[in-house]
Amino acid sequence: MLLLCQGQEMLLSMQEKKYCYKPIHLKLSLNILKKNLKQITSAQDWARYMGYSRSYFSTCFSEHFGETPYQCLCRVRYGQLHKVILQYPYKTSRAIAAEIGLKDEQALYKFLNRHYETNFTEIREKLLYDKEYNN
């Protein structure tokens, strides 16, 4: 009986370690992403920034926020794209791509097409038209 209890305790401690993370670190991860968006090009880079393995970070992040780190990275990058376009309407697509952590304008076009089924020109026109219309 004693061995069974010790085995159960060991199993519990292993389960606790598997899901032992501090939500405060995960909240900080969003700030870290926003401040280092140019350097963080993937969910794996983000996990490394946080000091976790990709799989551990992904599991913890998904449980805490209800979306994967990759989905969050795309959402933050898209939001930053909007901010940059509105702040600097005449910036080139290449410069904006670099600003939001993408390699070049081709990567920007692929990102927008793959995740949002749109392109840079459409987004720029829509944002600038809405800005003029709302002012």
Side-chain angles (χ1 to χ4, degrees):
M1 183 85 168
L2 183 59
L3 289 174
L4 182 62
C5 290
Q6 286 176 343
Q8 286 177 341
E9 285 177 22
M10 188 162 181
L11 181 63
L12 275 176
S13 67
M14 286 173 63
Q15 288 173 342
E16 287 172 6
K17 284 183 182 177
K18 184 177 178 185
Y19 297 104
C20 181
Y21 63 91
K22 299 193 185 262
I24 189 79
H25 290 165
L26 292 174
K27 289 179 183 175
L28 287 174
S29 69
L30 294 174
N31 292 336
I32 287 171
L33 174 63
K34 290 174 184 175
K35 288 180 183 175
N36 300 291
L37 191 59
K38 289 180 186 179
Q39 292 80 23
I40 298 174
T41 59
S42 66
Q44 186 163 349
D45 288 343
W46 191 10
R48 253 188 253 129
Y49 251 83
M50 296 300 299
Y52 298 120
S53 71
R54 185 204 47 79
S55 60
Y56 179 76
F57 180 64
S58 183
T59 300
C60 293
F61 192 92
S62 298
E63 286 179 5
H64 188 74
F65 290 109
E67 68 180 340
T68 66
Y70 182 74
Q71 290 168 329
C72 182
L73 175 63
C74 290
R75 185 176 45 78
V76 168
R77 188 168 277 149
Y78 190 70
Q80 187 63 27
L81 172 71
H82 282 225
K83 286 180 186 175
V84 173
I85 289 172
L86 289 171
Q87 203 170 17
Y88 305 103
Y90 299 108
K91 224 176 200 188
T92 65
S93 59
R94 174 178 230 116
I96 290 175
E99 186 81 21
I100 64 168
L102 296 171
K103 186 173 70 171
D104 56 20
E105 67 271 13
Q106 278 301 102
L108 175 62
Y109 283 100
K110 284 181 183 178
F111 168 76
L112 290 172
N113 189 35
R114 180 177 297 138
H115 298 290
Y116 299 98
E117 297 177 354
T118 188
N119 63 51
F120 180 74
T121 306
E122 287 177 4
I123 288 179
R124 182 186 291 222
E125 287 174 356
K126 182 181 182 324
L127 287 172
L128 296 178
Y129 175 77
D130 288 348
K131 184 179 176 184
E132 283 180 21
Y133 184 72
N134 291 328
N135 285 335

